Amino acid sequence: MSESKNFLRTIVEEDLKSGKNKEIVTRFPPEPNGFPHIGHAKSIFINFGIARDYNGHCNLRMDDTNPTKEDTKYVEALKDAVEWLGYEWDGKVRFTSDYFSQIHDYAVELIKMGKAYVDSTDEEEMRELRGTVTEAGKRSKYAKRSIKENLELFERMKKGEFKDGEHVLRAKIDMSAANMKMRDPLMYRIRNVHHFRTGDAWAIYPMYDFAHCLSDYIEGVSHSICTLEFENNRDIYNWVLDTLGLTPSRPYQHEFARLGINYTVMSKRKLLELVEGGQVDGWDDPRLPTIAGYKRKGYTPASILNFCDSVGVAKANSMVDVSQLEFCIRDDLNKKVPRVMCVLDPLKVTLINYEGSEEINAPYYPHDVPKEGERKLPFSSEIYIERDDFNENPPKGYFRLTPEQPVRLRHGYIITCKEVIKDENGNSIEIKAEYSPESKSGSDTSGIKVKSAIHWVDATTAKTVEVRLYDRLFSKEAPEGVDDLNPDSLKVIKNALIEPAVITDKPDERFQFERQGYFYADPVDYTDAKPVFNKIVGLKDSWGKKTKIAEPAKKPQVKKVQVDGEVVAMSEEEQARFDKYTTEFGLNSEVANILARDEQLTSFFEDALAVLNSPINLANIVVGEVARELKEKQVDELKFTAKQIAELVKLIDDKTISNKIAKQVFEEMVKSGDNSSKIVKAKGLVQISDPAVISPIIDEVIAKNPDNVAKFKAGNTKLLGFFVGQVLKATGGKANPKVVNQLVHEKLK
């Protein structure tokens, strides 16, 4: 059991103690429309962990109520994630579609009770009738339909007699409810599409809020644990069960804060854009926060679970530093994995006074004496060291090899530089050195003093390997999408050299490459002919150091700090703003949460909104860019106004500039206070959408990369992203990405 008892476990214990529940039944109910990410791992950890620790069971249920986006490959990925993390679900994998008939019957029962009606209002009018946080809504005229008419229409909807969107089934609750979720919420909508499990049996599908509580009830769930954005939906959950009289042994919903990690996006939509746009190499790309990505990168289940435990369970949304996750994998691997030597940027060293060859015994775990295991390191007169382990003109504090300073070869001898061989450009290509025969590690009688030891490999026996150095996918702490990608998130070294003992016929292993970091044999691309290693994490404990440095006093931050078990509730005014932003404006819960809790941002956002009705784009730039400036300044100290930000967003909406260019324009506005249109015109930043202008640039990129063209035409379609990126780079980010994508695809056919 987790050492820290959070508020969810306190609830469970109290329910068991009071006799409210005799058995704990939880469920993990993801929608199979994407690969699970680390946010899902936290939910798995909570739901399966509570069930296990209180002698209950947890169901794995696929919420397959939206057939337009779901697929069996996502089902398999979700199953694999649960199993890889070490949990077992109770019985078979369940699906909401297993209960479609029962859920339908409950809907019919509500119609007969006069608690549900078929509404034929179009989407726009329905939104207008819903009202606002300060004004009550108005019920649709179709709510006056008789029970008989509603039953007939609902049956015809079921048979597929209507088009998508022509009718919906709504609960009849309260159009003046303070919780806008309760203003006659939708229960069913028409979807004339093929379902991956039920085929064409259904033309109507239940909404999440209606299906979820009933599925929980049917399965006998005791504690329905979900993330904080469903807090307002709890009233619907309770209304459905109470109205239908499903109160004996009924489930209860409890919410916790979802996981947010900086330099990371976990929106399924944004992850899908990265995959389909070719910016990453599939759902298991090691740069993605998907379970498949972490698994391929070399993370262990224990490290993921330890991370989920360390961040705690709370009611307040917050952002976790990605370094905390890196600490967990580093901590897990530190004493588990063997230490070996790999040279990433080889520089040849010839030992002019050494003859023959030998093998040096070297432990795999040099700092963990009780742990057994060693290998033999081949050694001869030709070796390779890291290029930056030699410096002809060393800075102060440089302790590695120089023309005047000897150094020890790890597990081996001390060597001294005698001559530097250079090419015609003055680059060092070989070091002539001497070794000290009396200086062998473990039996050194040479008396030579050195300040460091460097890693190396024997030139004649070293194996060539590919090493993939992964860094954070995004360069921005709060990324919004592809515009914030880190161009250096992956560096591939094709000709690294590794000691021969590392190459085995069972490559599914992790190693510490001494002085480099932790690495994992890639489970997809590794072959005997082409060994490939992925960097899991570096050796430096950056998160640990960060927490020890006292930060200077700053203005209070927008987001609340997460405290295990502590509830930081919104005020009534903040909650009203949050509801308005999510329901009326369609903002995602994280952006709405930040805006709602900060009065300065709220005021700025609404001033801009009064000028331009583009709430989503305005909210994103206010939360992402303006908020950064307001950390250090007051509103009246800014050189730009809300009106100017609205004008900037208008340029984005009109496709005059891209999101990437908008960031450049904003930075100039911060400095000069000039209007965005003036900056765009002066710097020539107008987005290029004319195919006649873009086509020649694409042709040039294609001509310069014949090898990648051949690979693409041979079936490696993931290279589409490479060509798009090269074109965008050539245009300074001014080309319209959608136009570029389409043209590149056509030209490479």
mmCIF file with all atom_site columns, all heavy atoms in Angstrom, residues 356-375:
data_model
loop_
_atom_site.group_PDB
_atom_site.id
_atom_site.type_symbol
_atom_site.label_atom_id
_atom_site.label_alt_id
_atom_site.label_comp_id
_atom_site.label_asym_id
_atom_site.label_entity_id
_atom_site.label_seq_id
_atom_site.pdbx_PDB_ins_code
_atom_site.Cartn_x
_atom_site.Cartn_y
_atom_site.Cartn_z
_atom_site.occupancy
_atom_site.B_iso_or_equiv
_atom_site.pdbx_formal_charge
_atom_site.auth_seq_id
_atom_site.auth_comp_id
_atom_site.auth_asym_id
_atom_site.auth_atom_id
_atom_site.pdbx_PDB_model_num
ATOM 1   N N   . GLY A 1 356 ? 51.142 -5.739  -28.464 1.00 0.00 ? 356 GLY A N   1
ATOM 2   C CA  . GLY A 1 356 ? 50.299 -6.885  -28.152 1.00 0.00 ? 356 GLY A CA  1
ATOM 3   C C   . GLY A 1 356 ? 48.884 -6.467  -27.789 1.00 0.00 ? 356 GLY A C   1
ATOM 4   O O   . GLY A 1 356 ? 48.379 -5.431  -28.221 1.00 0.00 ? 356 GLY A O   1
ATOM 5   N N   . SER A 1 357 ? 48.264 -7.306  -26.949 1.00 0.00 ? 357 SER A N   1
ATOM 6   C CA  . SER A 1 357 ? 46.897 -7.035  -26.493 1.00 0.00 ? 357 SER A CA  1
ATOM 7   C C   . SER A 1 357 ? 46.657 -7.788  -25.192 1.00 0.00 ? 357 SER A C   1
ATOM 8   O O   . SER A 1 357 ? 47.417 -8.689  -24.835 1.00 0.00 ? 357 SER A O   1
ATOM 9   C CB  . SER A 1 357 ? 45.877 -7.474  -27.550 1.00 0.00 ? 357 SER A CB  1
ATOM 10  O OG  . SER A 1 357 ? 45.956 -8.881  -27.755 1.00 0.00 ? 357 SER A OG  1
ATOM 11  N N   . GLU A 1 358 ? 45.601 -7.409  -24.487 1.00 0.00 ? 358 GLU A N   1
ATOM 12  C CA  . GLU A 1 358 ? 45.257 -8.089  -23.240 1.00 0.00 ? 358 GLU A CA  1
ATOM 13  C C   . GLU A 1 358 ? 43.774 -7.878  -22.960 1.00 0.00 ? 358 GLU A C   1
ATOM 14  O O   . GLU A 1 358 ? 43.077 -7.151  -23.672 1.00 0.00 ? 358 GLU A O   1
ATOM 15  C CB  . GLU A 1 358 ? 46.087 -7.547  -22.079 1.00 0.00 ? 358 GLU A CB  1
ATOM 16  C CG  . GLU A 1 358 ? 45.848 -6.054  -21.787 1.00 0.00 ? 358 GLU A CG  1
ATOM 17  C CD  . GLU A 1 358 ? 46.708 -5.555  -20.641 1.00 0.00 ? 358 GLU A CD  1
ATOM 18  O OE1 . GLU A 1 358 ? 46.433 -5.958  -19.497 1.00 0.00 ? 358 GLU A OE1 1
ATOM 19  O OE2 . GLU A 1 358 ? 47.636 -4.763  -20.904 1.00 0.00 ? 358 GLU A OE2 1
ATOM 20  N N   . GLU A 1 359 ? 43.292 -8.524  -21.903 1.00 0.00 ? 359 GLU A N   1
ATOM 21  C CA  . GLU A 1 359 ? 41.917 -8.319  -21.451 1.00 0.00 ? 359 GLU A CA  1
ATOM 22  C C   . GLU A 1 359 ? 41.951 -7.867  -19.997 1.00 0.00 ? 359 GLU A C   1
ATOM 23  O O   . GLU A 1 359 ? 42.644 -8.462  -19.159 1.00 0.00 ? 359 GLU A O   1
ATOM 24  C CB  . GLU A 1 359 ? 41.098 -9.600  -21.591 1.00 0.00 ? 359 GLU A CB  1
ATOM 25  C CG  . GLU A 1 359 ? 40.808 -9.973  -23.049 1.00 0.00 ? 359 GLU A CG  1
ATOM 26  C CD  . GLU A 1 359 ? 39.913 -11.190 -23.162 1.00 0.00 ? 359 GLU A CD  1
ATOM 27  O OE1 . GLU A 1 359 ? 40.030 -12.088 -22.286 1.00 0.00 ? 359 GLU A OE1 1
ATOM 28  O OE2 . GLU A 1 359 ? 39.092 -11.252 -24.100 1.00 0.00 ? 359 GLU A OE2 1
ATOM 29  N N   . ILE A 1 360 ? 41.216 -6.822  -19.713 1.00 0.00 ? 360 ILE A N   1
ATOM 30  C CA  . ILE A 1 360 ? 41.181 -6.249  -18.373 1.00 0.00 ? 360 ILE A CA  1
ATOM 31  C C   . ILE A 1 360 ? 39.863 -6.625  -17.711 1.00 0.00 ? 360 ILE A C   1
ATOM 32  O O   . ILE A 1 360 ? 38.784 -6.411  -18.275 1.00 0.00 ? 360 ILE A O   1
ATOM 33  C CB  . ILE A 1 360 ? 41.309 -4.714  -18.437 1.00 0.00 ? 360 ILE A CB  1
ATOM 34  C CG1 . ILE A 1 360 ? 42.640 -4.316  -19.081 1.00 0.00 ? 360 ILE A CG1 1
ATOM 35  C CG2 . ILE A 1 360 ? 41.154 -4.093  -17.062 1.00 0.00 ? 360 ILE A CG2 1
ATOM 36  C CD1 . ILE A 1 360 ? 42.750 -2.824  -19.366 1.00 0.00 ? 360 ILE A CD1 1
ATOM 37  N N   . ASN A 1 361 ? 39.930 -7.192  -16.509 1.00 0.00 ? 361 ASN A N   1
ATOM 38  C CA  . ASN A 1 361 ? 38.719 -7.503  -15.766 1.00 0.00 ? 361 ASN A CA  1
ATOM 39  C C   . ASN A 1 361 ? 38.093 -6.213  -15.230 1.00 0.00 ? 361 ASN A C   1
ATOM 40  O O   . ASN A 1 361 ? 38.768 -5.409  -14.580 1.00 0.00 ? 361 ASN A O   1
ATOM 41  C CB  . ASN A 1 361 ? 39.019 -8.442  -14.598 1.00 0.00 ? 361 ASN A CB  1
ATOM 42  C CG  . ASN A 1 361 ? 39.389 -9.836  -15.076 1.00 0.00 ? 361 ASN A CG  1
ATOM 43  O OD1 . ASN A 1 361 ? 38.893 -10.295 -16.102 1.00 0.00 ? 361 ASN A OD1 1
ATOM 44  N ND2 . ASN A 1 361 ? 40.250 -10.521 -14.345 1.00 0.00 ? 361 ASN A ND2 1
ATOM 45  N N   . ALA A 1 362 ? 36.810 -6.016  -15.500 1.00 0.00 ? 362 ALA A N   1
ATOM 46  C CA  . ALA A 1 362 ? 36.130 -4.787  -15.066 1.00 0.00 ? 362 ALA A CA  1
ATOM 47  C C   . ALA A 1 362 ? 34.758 -5.143  -14.508 1.00 0.00 ? 362 ALA A C   1
ATOM 48  O O   . ALA A 1 362 ? 33.984 -5.862  -15.156 1.00 0.00 ? 362 ALA A O   1
ATOM 49  C CB  . ALA A 1 362 ? 35.983 -3.820  -16.235 1.00 0.00 ? 362 ALA A CB  1
ATOM 50  N N   . PRO A 1 363 ? 34.427 -4.647  -13.318 1.00 0.00 ? 363 PRO A N   1
ATOM 51  C CA  . PRO A 1 363 ? 33.115 -4.956  -12.725 1.00 0.00 ? 363 PRO A CA  1
ATOM 52  C C   . PRO A 1 363 ? 31.990 -4.197  -13.421 1.00 0.00 ? 363 PRO A C   1
ATOM 53  O O   . PRO A 1 363 ? 32.172 -3.070  -13.874 1.00 0.00 ? 363 PRO A O   1
ATOM 54  C CB  . PRO A 1 363 ? 33.277 -4.491  -11.279 1.00 0.00 ? 363 PRO A CB  1
ATOM 55  C CG  . PRO A 1 363 ? 34.300 -3.402  -11.347 1.00 0.00 ? 363 PRO A CG  1
ATOM 56  C CD  . PRO A 1 363 ? 35.254 -3.807  -12.431 1.00 0.00 ? 363 PRO A CD  1
ATOM 57  N N   . TYR A 1 364 ? 30.823 -4.830  -13.493 1.00 0.00 ? 364 TYR A N   1
ATOM 58  C CA  . TYR A 1 364 ? 29.646 -4.149  -14.017 1.00 0.00 ? 364 TYR A CA  1
ATOM 59  C C   . TYR A 1 364 ? 29.065 -3.166  -12.992 1.00 0.00 ? 364 TYR A C   1
ATOM 60  O O   . TYR A 1 364 ? 28.383 -2.217  -13.355 1.00 0.00 ? 364 TYR A O   1
ATOM 61  C CB  . TYR A 1 364 ? 28.557 -5.167  -14.374 1.00 0.00 ? 364 TYR A CB  1
ATOM 62  C CG  . TYR A 1 364 ? 28.722 -5.807  -15.728 1.00 0.00 ? 364 TYR A CG  1
ATOM 63  C CD1 . TYR A 1 364 ? 28.800 -7.191  -15.859 1.00 0.00 ? 364 TYR A CD1 1
ATOM 64  C CD2 . TYR A 1 364 ? 28.761 -5.042  -16.887 1.00 0.00 ? 364 TYR A CD2 1
ATOM 65  C CE1 . TYR A 1 364 ? 28.917 -7.795  -17.106 1.00 0.00 ? 364 TYR A CE1 1
ATOM 66  C CE2 . TYR A 1 364 ? 28.886 -5.628  -18.136 1.00 0.00 ? 364 TYR A CE2 1
ATOM 67  C CZ  . TYR A 1 364 ? 28.962 -7.009  -18.246 1.00 0.00 ? 364 TYR A CZ  1
ATOM 68  O OH  . TYR A 1 364 ? 29.082 -7.593  -19.484 1.00 0.00 ? 364 TYR A OH  1
ATOM 69  N N   . TYR A 1 365 ? 29.325 -3.458  -11.710 1.00 0.00 ? 365 TYR A N   1
ATOM 70  C CA  . TYR A 1 365 ? 28.751 -2.635  -10.638 1.00 0.00 ? 365 TYR A CA  1
ATOM 71  C C   . TYR A 1 365 ? 29.874 -2.148  -9.724  1.00 0.00 ? 365 TYR A C   1
ATOM 72  O O   . TYR A 1 365 ? 30.020 -2.600  -8.586  1.00 0.00 ? 365 TYR A O   1
ATOM 73  C CB  . TYR A 1 365 ? 27.718 -3.439  -9.840  1.00 0.00 ? 365 TYR A CB  1
ATOM 74  C CG  . TYR A 1 365 ? 26.661 -4.079  -10.712 1.00 0.00 ? 365 TYR A CG  1
ATOM 75  C CD1 . TYR A 1 365 ? 26.811 -5.395  -11.172 1.00 0.00 ? 365 TYR A CD1 1
ATOM 76  C CD2 . TYR A 1 365 ? 25.538 -3.364  -11.099 1.00 0.00 ? 365 TYR A CD2 1
ATOM 77  C CE1 . TYR A 1 365 ? 25.844 -5.975  -11.987 1.00 0.00 ? 365 TYR A CE1 1
ATOM 78  C CE2 . TYR A 1 365 ? 24.577 -3.940  -11.915 1.00 0.00 ? 365 TYR A CE2 1
ATOM 79  C CZ  . TYR A 1 365 ? 24.732 -5.250  -12.356 1.00 0.00 ? 365 TYR A CZ  1
ATOM 80  O OH  . TYR A 1 365 ? 23.786 -5.815  -13.162 1.00 0.00 ? 365 TYR A OH  1
ATOM 81  N N   . PRO A 1 366 ? 30.713 -1.224  -10.187 1.00 0.00 ? 366 PRO A N   1
ATOM 82  C CA  . PRO A 1 366 ? 31.913 -0.828  -9.443  1.00 0.00 ? 366 PRO A CA  1
ATOM 83  C C   . PRO A 1 366 ? 31.632 -0.191  -8.085  1.00 0.00 ? 366 PRO A C   1
ATOM 84  O O   . PRO A 1 366 ? 32.483 -0.200  -7.208  1.00 0.00 ? 366 PRO A O   1
ATOM 85  C CB  . PRO A 1 366 ? 32.600 0.173   -10.385 1.00 0.00 ? 366 PRO A CB  1
ATOM 86  C CG  . PRO A 1 366 ? 31.526 0.659   -11.290 1.00 0.00 ? 366 PRO A CG  1
ATOM 87  C CD  . PRO A 1 366 ? 30.603 -0.500  -11.461 1.00 0.00 ? 366 PRO A CD  1
ATOM 88  N N   . HIS A 1 367 ? 30.428 0.371   -7.900  1.00 0.00 ? 367 HIS A N   1
ATOM 89  C CA  . HIS A 1 367 ? 30.124 1.037   -6.632  1.00 0.00 ? 367 HIS A CA  1
ATOM 90  C C   . HIS A 1 367 ? 29.184 0.215   -5.757  1.00 0.00 ? 367 HIS A C   1
ATOM 91  O O   . HIS A 1 367 ? 28.647 0.710   -4.771  1.00 0.00 ? 367 HIS A O   1
ATOM 92  C CB  . HIS A 1 367 ? 29.508 2.414   -6.902  1.00 0.00 ? 367 HIS A CB  1
ATOM 93  C CG  . HIS A 1 367 ? 30.404 3.298   -7.710  1.00 0.00 ? 367 HIS A CG  1
ATOM 94  N ND1 . HIS A 1 367 ? 31.651 3.676   -7.282  1.00 0.00 ? 367 HIS A ND1 1
ATOM 95  C CD2 . HIS A 1 367 ? 30.238 3.862   -8.945  1.00 0.00 ? 367 HIS A CD2 1
ATOM 96  C CE1 . HIS A 1 367 ? 32.217 4.448   -8.203  1.00 0.00 ? 367 HIS A CE1 1
ATOM 97  N NE2 . HIS A 1 367 ? 31.385 4.559   -9.221  1.00 0.00 ? 367 HIS A NE2 1
ATOM 98  N N   . ASP A 1 368 ? 28.962 -1.027  -6.141  1.00 0.00 ? 368 ASP A N   1
ATOM 99  C CA  . ASP A 1 368 ? 28.062 -1.885  -5.382  1.00 0.00 ? 368 ASP A CA  1
ATOM 100 C C   . ASP A 1 368 ? 28.753 -3.239  -5.216  1.00 0.00 ? 368 ASP A C   1
ATOM 101 O O   . ASP A 1 368 ? 28.452 -4.206  -5.910  1.00 0.00 ? 368 ASP A O   1
ATOM 102 C CB  . ASP A 1 368 ? 26.731 -2.034  -6.143  1.00 0.00 ? 368 ASP A CB  1
ATOM 103 C CG  . ASP A 1 368 ? 25.639 -2.617  -5.262  1.00 0.00 ? 368 ASP A CG  1
ATOM 104 O OD1 . ASP A 1 368 ? 25.918 -2.873  -4.080  1.00 0.00 ? 368 ASP A OD1 1
ATOM 105 O OD2 . ASP A 1 368 ? 24.517 -2.813  -5.757  1.00 0.00 ? 368 ASP A OD2 1
ATOM 106 N N   . VAL A 1 369 ? 29.688 -3.279  -4.271  1.00 0.00 ? 369 VAL A N   1
ATOM 107 C CA  . VAL A 1 369 ? 30.604 -4.421  -4.127  1.00 0.00 ? 369 VAL A CA  1
ATOM 108 C C   . VAL A 1 369 ? 29.902 -5.761  -3.973  1.00 0.00 ? 369 VAL A C   1
ATOM 109 O O   . VAL A 1 369 ? 30.300 -6.757  -4.595  1.00 0.00 ? 369 VAL A O   1
ATOM 110 C CB  . VAL A 1 369 ? 31.576 -4.184  -2.947  1.00 0.00 ? 369 VAL A CB  1
ATOM 111 C CG1 . VAL A 1 369 ? 32.486 -5.383  -2.755  1.00 0.00 ? 369 VAL A CG1 1
ATOM 112 C CG2 . VAL A 1 369 ? 32.386 -2.928  -3.191  1.00 0.00 ? 369 VAL A CG2 1
ATOM 113 N N   . PRO A 1 370 ? 28.829 -5.869  -3.189  1.00 0.00 ? 370 PRO A N   1
ATOM 114 C CA  . PRO A 1 370 ? 28.213 -7.185  -3.036  1.00 0.00 ? 370 PRO A CA  1
ATOM 115 C C   . PRO A 1 370 ? 27.610 -7.732  -4.322  1.00 0.00 ? 370 PRO A C   1
ATOM 116 O O   . PRO A 1 370 ? 27.385 -8.925  -4.447  1.00 0.00 ? 370 PRO A O   1
ATOM 117 C CB  . PRO A 1 370 ? 27.106 -6.942  -1.988  1.00 0.00 ? 370 PRO A CB  1
ATOM 118 C CG  . PRO A 1 370 ? 27.478 -5.667  -1.316  1.00 0.00 ? 370 PRO A CG  1
ATOM 119 C CD  . PRO A 1 370 ? 28.175 -4.862  -2.350  1.00 0.00 ? 370 PRO A CD  1
ATOM 120 N N   . LYS A 1 371 ? 27.342 -6.855  -5.295  1.00 0.00 ? 371 LYS A N   1
ATOM 121 C CA  . LYS A 1 371 ? 26.694 -7.290  -6.519  1.00 0.00 ? 371 LYS A CA  1
ATOM 122 C C   . LYS A 1 371 ? 27.715 -7.943  -7.438  1.00 0.00 ? 371 LYS A C   1
ATOM 123 O O   . LYS A 1 371 ? 28.753 -7.365  -7.743  1.00 0.00 ? 371 LYS A O   1
ATOM 124 C CB  . LYS A 1 371 ? 26.043 -6.103  -7.215  1.00 0.00 ? 371 LYS A CB  1
ATOM 125 C CG  . LYS A 1 371 ? 24.922 -6.495  -8.157  1.00 0.00 ? 371 LYS A CG  1
ATOM 126 C CD  . LYS A 1 371 ? 23.966 -5.323  -8.321  1.00 0.00 ? 371 LYS A CD  1
ATOM 127 C CE  . LYS A 1 371 ? 22.686 -5.805  -8.973  1.00 0.00 ? 371 LYS A CE  1
ATOM 128 N NZ  . LYS A 1 371 ? 21.601 -4.844  -8.824  1.00 0.00 ? 371 LYS A NZ  1
ATOM 129 N N   . GLU A 1 372 ? 27.405 -9.139  -7.882  1.00 0.00 ? 372 GLU A N   1
ATOM 130 C CA  . GLU A 1 372 ? 28.335 -9.867  -8.731  1.00 0.00 ? 372 GLU A CA  1
ATOM 131 C C   . GLU A 1 372 ? 28.198 -9.432  -10.184 1.00 0.00 ? 372 GLU A C   1
ATOM 132 O O   . GLU A 1 372 ? 27.203 -8.869  -10.596 1.00 0.00 ? 372 GLU A O   1
ATOM 133 C CB  . GLU A 1 372 ? 28.076 -11.372 -8.625  1.00 0.00 ? 372 GLU A CB  1
ATOM 134 C CG  . GLU A 1 372 ? 28.319 -11.924 -7.225  1.00 0.00 ? 372 GLU A CG  1
ATOM 135 C CD  . GLU A 1 372 ? 28.061 -13.414 -7.168  1.00 0.00 ? 372 GLU A CD  1
ATOM 136 O OE1 . GLU A 1 372 ? 27.682 -13.988 -8.195  1.00 0.00 ? 372 GLU A OE1 1
ATOM 137 O OE2 . GLU A 1 372 ? 28.241 -13.989 -6.086  1.00 0.00 ? 372 GLU A OE2 1
ATOM 138 N N   . GLY A 1 373 ? 29.227 -9.744  -10.944 1.00 0.00 ? 373 GLY A N   1
ATOM 139 C CA  . GLY A 1 373 ? 29.170 -9.470  -12.375 1.00 0.00 ? 373 GLY A CA  1
ATOM 140 C C   . GLY A 1 373 ? 30.347 -8.658  -12.855 1.00 0.00 ? 373 GLY A C   1
ATOM 141 O O   . GLY A 1 373 ? 30.608 -7.578  -12.345 1.00 0.00 ? 373 GLY A O   1
ATOM 142 N N   . GLU A 1 374 ? 31.068 -9.191  -13.815 1.00 0.00 ? 374 GLU A N   1
ATOM 143 C CA  . GLU A 1 374 ? 32.148 -8.450  -14.433 1.00 0.00 ? 374 GLU A CA  1
ATOM 144 C C   . GLU A 1 374 ? 32.312 -8.931  -15.864 1.00 0.00 ? 374 GLU A C   1
ATOM 145 O O   . GLU A 1 374 ? 31.761 -9.954  -16.267 1.00 0.00 ? 374 GLU A O   1
ATOM 146 C CB  . GLU A 1 374 ? 33.458 -8.625  -13.665 1.00 0.00 ? 374 GLU A CB  1
ATOM 147 C CG  . GLU A 1 374 ? 34.010 -10.037 -13.646 1.00 0.00 ? 374 GLU A CG  1
ATOM 148 C CD  . GLU A 1 374 ? 35.357 -10.117 -12.944 1.00 0.00 ? 374 GLU A CD  1
ATOM 149 O OE1 . GLU A 1 374 ? 35.668 -9.206  -12.178 1.00 0.00 ? 374 GLU A OE1 1
ATOM 150 O OE2 . GLU A 1 374 ? 36.075 -11.097 -13.190 1.00 0.00 ? 374 GLU A OE2 1
ATOM 151 N N   . ARG A 1 375 ? 33.035 -8.177  -16.643 1.00 0.00 ? 375 ARG A N   1
ATOM 152 C CA  . ARG A 1 375 ? 33.300 -8.550  -18.018 1.00 0.00 ? 375 ARG A CA  1
ATOM 153 C C   . ARG A 1 375 ? 34.765 -8.279  -18.316 1.00 0.00 ? 375 ARG A C   1
ATOM 154 O O   . ARG A 1 375 ? 35.455 -7.592  -17.549 1.00 0.00 ? 375 ARG A O   1
ATOM 155 C CB  . ARG A 1 375 ? 32.391 -7.813  -19.001 1.00 0.00 ? 375 ARG A CB  1
ATOM 156 C CG  . ARG A 1 375 ? 32.779 -6.364  -19.317 1.00 0.00 ? 375 ARG A CG  1
ATOM 157 C CD  . ARG A 1 375 ? 32.429 -5.371  -18.262 1.00 0.00 ? 375 ARG A CD  1
ATOM 158 N NE  . ARG A 1 375 ? 32.526 -3.991  -18.736 1.00 0.00 ? 375 ARG A NE  1
ATOM 159 C CZ  . ARG A 1 375 ? 32.529 -2.947  -17.941 1.00 0.00 ? 375 ARG A CZ  1
ATOM 160 N NH1 . ARG A 1 375 ? 32.478 -3.111  -16.625 1.00 0.00 ? 375 ARG A NH1 1
ATOM 161 N NH2 . ARG A 1 375 ? 32.598 -1.721  -18.437 1.00 0.00 ? 375 ARG A NH2 1
#
